Each structure stands twice: as C-alpha cells, then as structure tokens.
C-alpha cells in the first residue's frame, strides 16, 4: 500500500478547487512504503476441520467451545467464529477434528487510496467525454480503457454469460446497469446475510460498469454490455471486508453458479490482501473455495494488487495459481510540457506503460488499463507535476459516470479496474466459444492461454514507467505479458 508524505497530503488538500479533470498530483520524493502484514478482525477466526466434517458437527464444535458462529460454509469444511476469550480459542484448538485456525484478515479493494479517509472534492456528475471513435454514432461516452481492450460488437458482447461481481455491491438504481435482481437467489450480501446487495461504497458499481455498462444512449459502454452481472457483496460501505465474508461470497457462487440463468462462468475479485507471516498460498482458508470454482470451470479474475514492493505470490487471492491475476497499465498517452524534478526521462507517459503502483511478478496472467493517463504539466505554485487520471465508469447514486467512485471521493485508479476489463474479455471469449466449454480446469487454462496468445504488444508492453527508480520503486518481473484484447 502506498501512503503519502505530509507534503503530498497538503497538495491533495489544496487541489480541491481545481477543475475536476485535474486529479491526483505526484511529486518527486513520494516514497512507497514497505509491505505491511495484514490486519485481522478482532476476536475473529476461521476454523478448518478434517474433510467430511458436517455443518452440524462444526456448529456443535463451536457451541461446545463457547464460540459464536458467524459463517458455516457449505463448500469447504470450515466455519468463521467470534471467540469471547482465550478459553474458547484453546478449546477449539484441542478439538481433534480441527485442522487449522487462522485469523480473520481484513481484505480491501485494489484501489489506490492516496490519503485514507480524505476526499478530493471536485464537481459532481458527468466529466469531460473522451472522443468517440470515428464511425460510431452514439451519445455514450467511450472510455479509453474499454477502447484499449476492444469495443464490444453485435456478436461479441458477453451475451449469455453470467458474471459474479464479488465487491461492495452494485447500484441497482443506476440507469446504465442491469444486474440480475437484487433478491435472494440472484444476489447475495455476505456482509449482512439476508440484506440488500445495494452498493454503498461505490467500488462495486465502478467495477460493474467497466464490465457491463449497457449499450444505450447514456453513460458509458462496458467491455461486455450484454453479459449478466450477479451482485455478491463482501465489502462494506467503507470498502472493508474480511476473509470470512469473502469466503461466504465465494461459497454462495459455488452453491449457485450452475443454478442461476445464465450460469455464472466468471468471477471478478478486485480486492485482496498480503499473506501474513507463516501463512502460505497452500494453507490459506480461501484456497479450497478458489479451487472449487476452478474445478467447476468458473474463471476467477483477480486484481494483482497495488504494491510494487511485493510479488503476486505474496498476495491473495491473486497469488493462487488457479486465478487469472491482472496487472495495471495506462490506457492512453499523456502530454508533457515541463521537466519534472527527479525524473530524467523528459518524455511523456505513453499508453501501455506499467502503472507505478501495480504489483507484478511471475504468475500475472495479463495486463489491462487500471488508470487513464498521466499528464506532466506546469501547475502554478506547485511547479511541474504529474496529473493522474482514473478510469471512467458508472458512479454510485449519480445515474452518470465519472473517474471517481462516488462524487467527492478518490480517483478510480488501481488494479481494481484492470481486472474487470479482463473479466469482460473472458466473457466474450466464452460467448464466441473460442475455447471448448468443458466446465473443468481445462477450460480455465484454455482461456488463460487464449488471453496470452492474443494479447496486444506481447513482449513489449507493459512499457517501463519513465519515473521508474526516480519516483516509483519498480519491480519489473521480466515478463511483458501484453494488454488483454477481446475477440471482435
Ligand atoms: Ca451506456
Ligand atoms: Ca510482468
């Protein structure tokens, strides 16, 4: 996670009066912090049992130990509990059916949070429109991000493909989104089971629009506008979740993916957390659920994360080999009018440049834009600065689109927004049956191979960031996996 210094926070504060398109300002000397171990929910634990332990036996074990049962999963031999004290925890540890007890770690969306809890200001509603591609007559805005991975076409739009958006919910009132109904059976709130899946954090709505904003005369258009989104809420209104909530969301998908119409064949997770000390990809309680989806041929797309100091093998869920992990690039080229102190490159930031924040590493499946562009311009008393623009998508409670999650909240930049573009691409590969539908791991691996083989600028992109080493730490993994491309 990148945490700004004081000068940087001050700049953000002063920026409130700037036009809406003048977004995040980066100056030389903004050091990136070292990775930190994940936080955990107080008194929250995930208890794993030997294979074959029934839900009833697990509930009994919790009750006998004096632990409060929070989740009792159907797809994996585990429960999530709150323990009132050490005695309950020790009692569970002594239970011969218990194979492991893990802390209930906090998971967060993969959005770059410049100043935690502080907003940017800025004007409400619709922002300036990117140019409409020639020959296309529409009153919709067409984002650079969707253009870069490939505009949808009549027979390449995700039609018939169900996609679970495992996130903060979806804005069901948004006129540019048409997810499956916000009711039991076609949506699930893991944060408060039985409650509405309506988004109140904005992140899930922004992700949903990148995947499937409708092809109509308003807002934007998503990569797969005819696909069907299923809302699975695992992050609360503050965009915070836990492993146990994420597991509950994935559990719902496993139990329901084949039952709903159209079936859920892709899962988008624009979230994650670093592994804790002593925790491995193998012993993470999230793993059996991801493996169950993999076995069923459901493609799980995850954001690589926004910490360039770590490898994706140090984060979950992106590090799981069953997952398609997505790194971030710029969608479009910026302009440059002045020299930036500390940056010797003197050139603009080109399209397809590796985002300074992106996590990389062996195992990244593909890259896609997680930000629009960076302009390097002279800005009055701030001198020469980099202005970083987020992705354009549907915005909570506005009916419109912006580069922010909600009005007056932070810019939508991060691998959070790379993943949904790839999710839309996967839906179109499935729709066009470019990989045999086997409903087993072979299909997932076929799609992974298809994405790699059809990537744009493979072995060239992501390009090196011109600020690499000067402003950003940079951990190039040696693989230029290219930018995801949807079939036409
Ligand atoms: Ca639209
Ligand atoms: Ca790479």
């Amino acid at each position: 996670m990148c945490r700004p210094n004081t000068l940087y926070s001050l700049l953000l504060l002063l920026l409130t009066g700037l036009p809406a398109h003048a977004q995040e300002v980066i100056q030389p000397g903004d050091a990136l912090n070292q990775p930190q171990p994940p936080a955990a929910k107080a008194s929250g634990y995930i208890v794993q049992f030997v294979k074959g332990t029934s839900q009833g036996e697990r509930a009994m074990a919790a009750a006998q130990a004096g632990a409060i049962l929070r989740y009792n999963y159907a797809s994996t031999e585990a429960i999530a509990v709150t323990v009132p004290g050490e005695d309950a925890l020790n009692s569970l540890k002594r239970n011969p059916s218990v194979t492991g007890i893990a802390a209930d770690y906090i998971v967060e969306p993969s959005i770059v949070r410049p100043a935690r809890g502080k907003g940017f200001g800025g004007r409400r509603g619709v922002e300036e429109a990117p140019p409409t591609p020639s020959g296309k007559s529409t009153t919709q805005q067409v984002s650079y991000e969707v253009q870069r991975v490939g505009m949808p076409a009549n027979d390449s739009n995700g039609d018939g493909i169900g996609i679970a958006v495992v996130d903060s919910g979806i804005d069901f009132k948004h006129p540019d989104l048409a997810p499956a109904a916000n009711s039991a059976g076609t949506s699930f709130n893991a944060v408060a089971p039985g409650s509405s899946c309506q988004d109140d954090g904005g992140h899930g709505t922004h992700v949903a629009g990148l995947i499937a904003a409708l092809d109509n005369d308003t807002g934007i258009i998503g990569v797969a506008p005819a696909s069907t989104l299923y809302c699975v809420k695992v992050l609360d209104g503050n965009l915070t979740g836990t492993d146990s909530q994420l597991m509950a969301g994935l559990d719902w998908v496993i139990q329901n993916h084949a039952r709903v119409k159209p079936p859920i064949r892709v899962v988008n997770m624009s979230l994650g957390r670093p592994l804790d000390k002593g925790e491995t990809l193998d012993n993470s309680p999230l793993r059996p659920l991801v493996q169950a989806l993999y076995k069923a041929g459901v493609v799980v797309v995850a954001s690589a994360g926004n910490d360039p100091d770590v490898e994706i093998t140090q984060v979950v869920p992106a590090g799981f080999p069953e997952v398609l992990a997505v790194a971030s690039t710029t969608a479009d080229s910026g302009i440059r009018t002045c020299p930036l102190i500390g940056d010797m490159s003197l050139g603009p930031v080109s399209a397809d440049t590796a985002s300074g924040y992106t996590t990389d590493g062996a195992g990244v499946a593909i890259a896609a834009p997680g930000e629009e562009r960076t302009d390097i311009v002279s800005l009055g008393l701030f001198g020469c600065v980099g202005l970083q623009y987020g992705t354009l998508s549907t915005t909570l409670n506005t009916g419109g689109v912006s580069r922010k999650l909600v009005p007056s909240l932070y810019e939508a930049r991060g691998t959070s927004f790379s993943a949904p573009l790839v999710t839309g691409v996967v839906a179109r590969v499935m729709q066009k049956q470019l990989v045999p539908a086997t409903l087993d791991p072979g299909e997932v691996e076929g799609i992974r191979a298809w994405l790699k083989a059809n990537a744009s600028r493979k072995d060239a992109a992501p390009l090196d960031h011109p600020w690499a080493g000067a402003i950003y730490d940079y951990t190039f993994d040696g693989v230029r996996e290219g930018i995801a491309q949807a079939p036409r």
Side-chain angles (χ1 to χ4, degrees), residues 140 176 213-216 218-221:
Q140 294 176 114
D176 211 12
L214 301 171
D215 188 3
N216 51 16
T218 187
I220 55 154
I221 184 167

Side-chain angles (χ1 to χ4, degrees), residues 360-361 364 462 476-481:
D360 198 0
V364 164
F476 176 54
D477 67 352
V479 180
R480 299 188 195 276
E481 55 276 357

Side-chain angles (χ1 to χ4, degrees), residues 9 79 379 413 440 453:
S9 303
I79 56 173
L379 203 65
R413 300 165 55 233
D440 65 26

